[in-house]
Amino acid sequence: MTRPHRRTATGNALALSACLLMTLMTFVRPAAGADAGEAGAQASVRFDLPAQPLDAALVVFGEMTGYSVLVSSQLAAGRMAAPVRGEYTPAEALQRLLVGTQLGARFSGSKAFTLLALAGEASAPAPAAAPGEPVAAAPALQAYAAVLQRSLTRALCRLHPDAFGRYRLAFQLWLDERGKVRDVHVLEPSGVAQRDHAVLARLRSLLMDGAPPAGLPQPLTILLTPRPDPGADCAPYLALAGAP
C-alpha cells in the first residue's frame, strides 16, 4: 500500500541555514534481518512534491522516507529540486528530485546518504546511485556522518531513554579538533523546556567518537525527528550503558 504525500518545508527551513544539514531519522525496523530492511527501502511511496529549494526538499524527503542525509548547504544553496509526483521507491524519487542539480547521492547504508557534486557534469542531470554504487567518493564525510549519528544517538538515548525518538528538536553544534562540542545552539525547541535544557547540558560535555575531518564546514545543524521504533534505536546503547 502507498500513501500520498504533498509537502513543502516552511519555517523549519531555518535548520538549513548552517553549513551542514544532518537529519537523524530512522525507519520502521522489521522483525527480520537485513534482507527485510532492504525490502523496506524498496517499498513504493506516493509522492506529490512541487519544485522547491533543494535544502527544503531534502528535509521533506527525509521526513517522508526515513532516509538520513548529510549535505553541505554550500552545495545545496541556490539549487532547486525537481518536482516529484507519482509512486516511486525512495531511491527512484531521490533520483528524480536531483534532476538538474548536478549533484549525486552516495549511500553509506540502505537509508543514509550524502550529496556530492558530480565531477565533469556541468549540465547533466544528477543520478542517484544505488546503495553500494557511489557517484563520487567522500570517505571522510561519509565516515563522520556515521560518527555523528552514533555519538548523538548513544548520548541522547542514555540521557532520556523513555523520550528519545519521540520529539522533534533542531540545534547547531560546533566541534573542536578532537570532536568535543565547544558550543551548541537550539534552532527549534522540542516544546518541553526542561528536556531541552538537559539535552543542551549533555551536548556541551559530549565528545564524539572521532575527530572531525579537516575542513569540515561548521556549524553542524542537527534535526531530530520522532522515530517509529525509538526503543529499538536505543536498545544497543542502553545494553552497554556502562561503556564510555
Side-chain angles (χ1 to χ4, degrees):
M1 178 181 292
T2 60
R3 294 175 296 170
H5 295 270
R6 178 179 177 83
R7 296 285 304 279
T8 57
T10 55
N12 291 331
L14 57 84
L16 306 172
S17 62
C19 292
L20 289 178
L21 163 69
M22 183 179 182
T23 57
L24 296 180
M25 304 179 206
T26 189
F27 54 98
V28 177
R29 296 175 181 268
D35 291 343
E38 292 295 331
Q42 296 303 315
S44 294
V45 176
R46 185 169 297 279
F47 293 85
D48 187 9
L49 303 179
Q52 59 187 304
L54 178 60
D55 50 7
L58 289 171
V59 170
V60 176
F61 178 82
E63 291 177 339
M64 290 173 57
T65 63
Y67 276 51
S68 300
V69 56
L70 175 61
V71 57
S72 167
S73 65
Q74 295 172 333
L75 280 180
R79 300 182 195 263
M80 292 293 293
V84 181
R85 294 186 170 93
E87 187 175 314
Y88 305 104
T89 66
E92 292 169 341
L94 179 60
Q95 179 174 352
R96 290 175 178 269
L97 184 147
L98 293 177
V99 167
T101 64
Q102 288 80 55
L103 299 178
R106 184 187 184 208
F107 283 81
S108 57
S110 63
K111 289 197 172 186
F113 66 93
T114 62
L115 293 186
L116 305 162
L118 294 177
E121 295 289 340
S123 60
E133 298 179 3
V135 172
L141 185 60
Q142 287 287 349
Y144 209 65
V147 168
L148 286 169
Q149 184 155 357
R150 181 176 64 249
S151 301
L152 289 167
T153 300
R154 181 177 62 237
L156 298 180
C157 280
R158 292 179 179 175
L159 177 67
H160 291 139
D162 295 327
F164 179 76
R166 298 171 176 86
Y167 58 87
R168 180 183 178 93
L169 176 66
F171 53 89
Q172 290 178 323
L173 294 177
W174 288 258
L175 306 179
D176 66 17
E177 66 280 0
R178 300 173 299 153
K180 188 179 188 303
V181 175
R182 58 183 176 84
D183 198 7
V184 59
H185 174 66
V186 170
L187 294 173
E188 180 186 337
S190 71
V192 179
Q194 184 176 7
R195 176 171 60 211
D196 293 351
H197 291 322
V199 169
L200 287 179
R202 178 65 188 95
L203 291 175
R204 289 190 178 105
S205 65
L206 183 61
L207 176 65
M208 301 297 170
D209 289 350
L216 179 71
Q218 295 195 53
L220 307 173
T221 298
I222 310 296
L223 173 63
L224 302 178
T225 63
R227 305 186 178 206
D229 194 354
D233 295 327
C234 287
Y237 305 113
L238 298 179
L240 300 174

